[in-house]
Amino acid sequence: MMDMVKMGSFLAELRKEHNLTQAELGEKLGVTNKTISRWETGNYMPPVEMLEELSNMYNMTINELLSGKKLSTEEYQEMAEANIKETLKMSAFSLKEKQEFYKIKWLKDHVAIMVFIGICILGVFVAGAMMSNMLIGYAAILMLVGAHCWRNNTMMTYVEKYAFDGTGAGQ
């Protein structure tokens, strides 16, 4: 069985061997020092993308990181299967589930601005209809398309940032 505290201690040891602070490592990986602290205390396991980065940075295998120690050839094969099984069990949420969670969270956090933009676009459309001006109506449709693109791009940027963070930020 995987020992998260042992793994976290090993990650802290490796970071210190490379003369990095939690903030410096976080900056290199694109996460906060708080995230690094959570990994090192064993509260959270780094997501697979971060394990891959850490293994490259420390010139170690992901299996060794998960085991919390450098492994001999015999130990390596023994621990590989156990670590894979344990990691899969600990992955409470799939990437798709995380993405859906953060989409909904972003929408909830931005509902007021979206309603405001919608009312503005509706106002432009109604004004165009009342003045019998098709050009204003077309402008409203273009505004609607632009607002949709803005919403989708900002929402997906947010989702990508938090779904890959590994801390469950915002939960």
Side-chain angles (χ1 to χ4, degrees), residues 15-144:
R15 174 183 53 78
K16 290 171 188 172
E17 282 177 15
H18 285 79
N19 297 315
L20 294 169
T21 65
Q22 288 180 339
E24 290 168 336
L25 178 59
E27 191 174 314
K28 285 182 179 237
L29 296 174
V31 297
T32 65
N33 62 325
K34 191 174 178 181
T35 298
I36 301 297
S37 175
R38 288 175 178 156
W39 295 345
E40 291 181 356
T41 57
N43 291 327
Y44 291 95
M45 184 171 79
V48 70
E49 298 87 0
M50 292 295 126
L51 287 170
E52 191 171 11
E53 289 290 324
L54 290 165
S55 75
N56 291 333
M57 185 180 295
Y58 297 142
N59 198 26
M60 306 209 66
T61 66
I62 292 175
N63 194 24
E64 288 174 310
L65 295 177
L66 293 173
S67 298
K69 65 180 185 175
K70 294 179 182 178
L71 300 171
S72 67
T73 306
E74 299 81 34
E75 290 175 313
Y76 187 86
Q77 288 183 320
E78 183 181 312
M79 294 300 296
E81 191 70 20
N83 284 335
I84 289 170
K85 287 177 182 175
E86 194 66 27
T87 302
L88 290 172
K89 284 181 196 173
M90 294 179 78
S91 298
F93 297 104
S94 70
L95 180 58
K96 193 131 191 101
E97 289 168 327
K98 283 183 185 179
Q99 289 172 323
E100 287 305 312
F101 171 83
Y102 287 111
K103 280 181 188 177
I104 291 168
K105 183 176 180 345
W106 187 92
L107 289 168
K108 286 179 183 176
D109 291 348
H110 294 84
V111 69
I113 188 75
M114 290 187 303
V115 168
F116 175 75
I117 290 170
I119 290 170
C120 291
I121 293 170
L122 184 61
V124 170
F125 187 77
V126 169
M130 290 178 72
M131 296 182 343
S132 299
N133 188 334
M134 294 290 287
L135 192 57
I136 294 176
Y138 290 135
I141 292 170
L142 284 174
M143 289 171 65
L144 182 63

